[in-house]
Amino acid sequence: MNKINRRSFIKTTTAVAATSTMATFSPFAIGGATKKVVIVGGGIGGVTAAKYIKMLDSKVDVTVIEPNKNYYTCFMSNEVLSGHRSIDSIRFGYDGLKKRGVNIVHDAVNAIDAKGQVVKTAGGKSFAYDRCIVSPGIDFKWDTIGGYDANVAESIPHAYKAGPQTVTLRKQLESMKDGGVFLMCPPPNPFRCPPGPYERASQIASYFKAKKPKSKILILDPKDKFSKFGLFMDGWKRHYGYGTDNSIIKWVKGAEGGKIESVDPKTKTVQGEMDPFKADVINIIPAQKAGKIAFVAGLTNDKGWCPIEGKTFESKKHKNIHVIGDSAVASPMPKSGYAANSQAKVCAAAVVALLNGGKTPHPSYVNTCYSVIAPGDGISVAMVYDYKDGKIVKVKGSGGLTGKYDKKTRAREEQYAHSWFNNITNDIFG
Ligand SMILES: Cc1cc2nc3c(=O)[nH]c(=O)nc-3n(C[C@H](O)[C@H](O)[C@H](O)COP(=O)(O)OP(=O)(O)OC[C@H]3O[C@@H](n4cnc5c(N)ncnc54)[C@H](O)[C@@H]3O)c2cc1C
């Protein structure tokens, strides 16, 4: 028998409020045999969900299945590419979860038997569950760019799952001659971290400006606009001469031939609507879809993402399975780490309530995406979300975009970006 008493209830709600996910909890009776939650994926969504389930009800048996022993955050990985931070500074382990009594299994899930409520791994193990939470992140649509696949991505990295490819791309940038061209091809919508490619271009431009001033960045984009568009354009003009003959960055939009069709890894040439283009370093970020296991488990729709019920994140395809993070269809929330963290807390509260026969709480969700355009110049977009008429909706008047340039405010936004990173990684892995 386990009870959430007034003290632990207040402690939990305080912890949740402190991290800005304002789910309102109602105390509920807890009883019965040990309940099992199996979590697929030890990334942002999965680890947050595991931690918060344990905080809400320490008696729940929580298992996280994740193949890797270390997790590298994608957030701030662009600062690794620019040399402003080390790869070690974005590496996290699972000791925090272990201390909380979460079982960590380093293996890959290769099947979920939704009827039998069993998760199976490549290593041949089976894990029964009362509730399963799936947070496998994204996979790439390898068939969309001729000549580009998972093998080629080892030498022409996407670096859109942080880790070894982040290091490879950084090394390539370091060994590129001054006067070389870095070519980036961002993906079409929808994709993980909408400002990510443009923050990456900004960070690499800051590296070139300081260390390789004759070098250029070409962005061949299938889209005509992107997140925080006006703020990036304004920043690129201020720091990198955007729009002049000397600009470090050139951005070609979809309507002007930005879409690429194929790449020849041997000659480092891309082909698309424009003439063939040869670059010194290439970064292709392909179109995206839900993580592979979501397809295997029958959790995806015809667009390749997982439809969910926004109050609990329970799959619309299979009962007792919840999908959170990038794989889930949680629009209007973006596919971001902060969104995955917020969704995980809502999901954890719902799962604990459901396991104990309680009422699922009314959720509230939050997201902020920071980008650092240049040292001392940070920008952000923020939003609070509510749940109304069966849908996740934006709260009118909440959040917003960074305003017009002001040196002091922008320096503070950069500080906020870095303190957000410290706070959220502590909230997840601490
Ligand atoms: C360059 C870049 C910059 C970014 N910057 C920001 C930012 O500033 N702010 C922000 O909020 N977000 C940012 N993001 C987005 C953020 O990283 C993702 O939205 C977030 O990681 C999503 O969390 P997730 O749990 O869905 O997936 P992930 O964090 O990717 O976790 C998925 C985990 O599942 C595991 N997994 C996959 N398949 C299986 C399987 N079959 N069995 C077991 N485990 C499996 C993987 O190994 C992985 O550890 C950025 C992303 C990029 C690429």
Side-chain angles (χ1 to χ4, degrees):
M1 182 86 164
N2 175 31
K3 277 214 166 105
I4 288 192
N5 60 29
R6 205 181 115 73
R7 213 166 130 242
S8 65
F9 170 67
I10 289 168
K11 217 168 130 193
T12 305
T13 47
T14 310
V16 173
T19 51
S20 312
T21 295
M22 292 149 280
T24 34
F25 296 92
S26 51
F28 36 79
I30 291 178
T34 303
K35 301 290 194 317
K36 287 186 192 310
V37 174
V38 176
I39 299 180
V40 181
I44 303 308
V47 174
T48 308
K51 174 174 169 179
Y52 276 76
I53 289 172
K54 272 291 183 195
M55 282 167 68
L56 283 161
D57 183 351
S58 60
K59 288 280 173 9
V60 178
D61 184 286
V62 183
T63 300
V64 173
I65 307 177
E66 159 65 45
N68 303 311
K69 297 226 160 114
N70 290 310
Y71 178 85
Y72 292 88
T73 62
C74 285
F75 26 93
M76 296 299 160
S77 65
N78 288 330
E79 290 197 348
V80 177
L81 296 179
S82 61
H84 290 310
R85 67 167 61 229
S86 71
I87 188 76
D88 291 345
S89 73
I90 61 166
R91 187 185 63 219
F92 297 88
Y94 296 97
D95 287 350
L97 278 192
K98 282 182 199 156
K99 275 188 204 143
R100 288 177 190 276
V102 174
N103 315 307
I104 309 290
V105 176
H106 290 297
D107 203 342
V109 172
N110 62 5
I112 303 174
D113 172 358
K115 244 186 170 180
Q117 297 189 203
V118 177
V119 167
K120 294 177 182 170
T121 69
K125 292 196 180 121
S126 294
F127 298 85
Y129 64 80
D130 294 289
R131 294 264 160 190
C132 175
I133 300 176
V134 179
S135 192
I138 49 140
D139 243 308
F140 299 104
K141 294 184 177 174
W142 293 114
D143 52 351
T144 52
I145 296 170
Y148 196 62
D149 59 23
N151 285 333
V152 174
E154 297 299 313
S155 57
I156 298 186
H158 51 74
Y160 227 63
K161 292 185 181 185
Q165 285 201 11
T166 313
V167 176
T168 303
L169 187 53
R170 172 64 193 161
K171 281 187 184 153
Q172 290 178 353
L173 290 165
E174 275 175 329
S175 47
M176 190 184 93
K177 65 175 188 289
D178 187 11
V181 176
F182 168 64
L183 168 66
M184 182 172 61
C185 307
N189 291 323
F191 64 101
R192 140 180 295 186
C193 191
Y198 312 97
E199 180 194 63
R200 176 171 292 180
S202 310
Q203 282 290 319
I204 293 171
S206 84
Y207 167 61
F208 285 172
K209 188 176 171 179
K211 305 276 181 188
K212 300 185 180 191
K214 288 186 240 150
S215 305
K216 302 284 180 202
I217 298 172
L218 174 64
I219 307 170
L220 292 179
D221 202 330
K223 305 182 293 301
D224 292 338
K225 233 186 157 182
F226 51 81
S227 171
K228 296 185 266 192
F229 187 80
L231 289 169
F232 274 112
M233 288 290 159
D234 177 58
W236 290 353
K237 280 181 196 153
R238 188 165 44 255
H239 299 289
Y240 309 122
Y242 190 75
T244 68
D245 289 347
N246 292 327
S247 179
I248 296 179
I249 301 173
K250 183 173 167 64
W251 175 67
V252 180
K253 61 182 170 186
E256 287 169 1
K259 190 172 180 300
I260 66 153
E261 273 147 21
S262 63
V263 61
D264 180 348
K266 278 198 190 121
T267 58
K268 287 196 184 160
T269 305
V270 298
Q271 177 79 59
E273 288 162 11
M274 288 177 55
D275 291 338
F277 190 88
K278 192 171 155 42
D280 296 281
V281 176
I282 304 180
N283 173 216
I284 293 178
I285 309 168
Q288 295 166 23
K289 57 185 180 181
K292 186 178 169 197
I293 187 63
F295 288 84
V296 174
L299 295 165
T300 49
N301 62 17
D302 57 357
K303 292 197 172 105
W305 302 100
C306 305
I308 48 91
E309 205 295 306
K311 195 178 182 194
T312 60
F313 287 86
E314 186 161 9
S315 163
K316 287 188 175 170
K317 299 279 183 180
H318 288 303
K319 280 192 150 209
N320 303 316
I321 301 181
H322 303 248
V323 185
I324 55 175
D326 290 349
S327 279
V329 179
S331 169
M333 295 186 83
K335 296 189 183 302
S336 80
Y338 202 177
N341 171 265
S342 182
Q343 292 163 10
K345 291 170 187 173
V346 169
C347 179
V351 162
V352 171
L354 289 165
L355 288 177
N356 294 290
K359 205 173 155 237
T360 54
H362 182 92
S364 172
Y365 330 69
V366 68
N367 180 64
T368 305
C369 282
Y370 291 98
S371 303
V372 178
I373 304 179
D377 193 349
I379 57 171
S380 64
V381 56
M383 186 56 62
V384 179
Y385 304 84
D386 192 9
Y387 180 76
K388 262 192 191 143
D389 304 325
K391 283 187 182 140
I392 300 173
V393 293
K394 291 181 179 177
V395 173
K396 268 195 184 158
S398 71
L401 271 174
T402 300
K404 273 197 174 161
Y405 181 73
D406 165 76
K407 202 174 174 191
K408 262 193 187 163
T409 316
R410 292 302 181 87
R412 210 177 301 139
E413 286 247 38
E414 185 196 31
Q415 280 176 8
Y416 289 158
H418 293 145
S419 64
W420 170 83
F421 172 77
N422 294 336
N423 292 337
I424 199 160
T425 51
N426 187 42
D427 179 43
I428 299 164
F429 296 99

